[in-house]
Amino acid sequence: MLIINVKDNESIDKALKRFKKKFEKTGVLRQLRARTAFQKPSVKRRTEIIKATYKERMYGNHTEQ
């Protein structure tokens, strides 16, 4: 359960924005979407490897001197 304390003189929009950001960080929606259909362990492993190689390519050690 997420608790957002609304400060004095704070607009509802700002509090809602903080709630949405907190909710997104928990990853509940992402997990719910992943569970809608069964995914074989081999397919899951393959997608993790593909994501890892992409991240390594994008954020890997670029030693430029």
Side-chain angles (χ1 to χ4, degrees):
M1 178 187 236
L2 292 174
I3 298 172
I4 304 293
N5 294 327
V6 181
K7 300 170 186 170
D8 294 336
N9 298 328
E10 183 181 23
S11 67
I12 299 295
D13 293 330
K14 283 189 178 184
L16 187 62
K17 188 174 182 179
R18 284 195 295 131
F19 173 77
K20 286 180 180 179
K21 197 178 288 186
K22 235 182 201 184
F23 184 75
E24 190 175 317
K25 281 185 181 180
T26 58
V28 174
L29 202 58
R30 195 177 321 121
Q31 187 180 25
L32 183 71
R33 286 184 180 147
R35 288 184 180 196
T36 55
F38 178 75
Q39 192 176 27
K40 288 173 36 177
S42 60
V43 175
K44 198 180 293 186
R45 213 174 308 121
R46 191 180 321 133
T47 56
E48 285 179 7
I49 291 170
I50 290 170
K51 285 181 183 180
T53 55
Y54 174 77
K55 281 185 179 180
E56 183 66 32
R57 240 184 278 135
M58 292 297 290
Y59 308 112
N61 293 334
H62 296 294
T63 54
E64 296 178 16
Q65 294 178 356

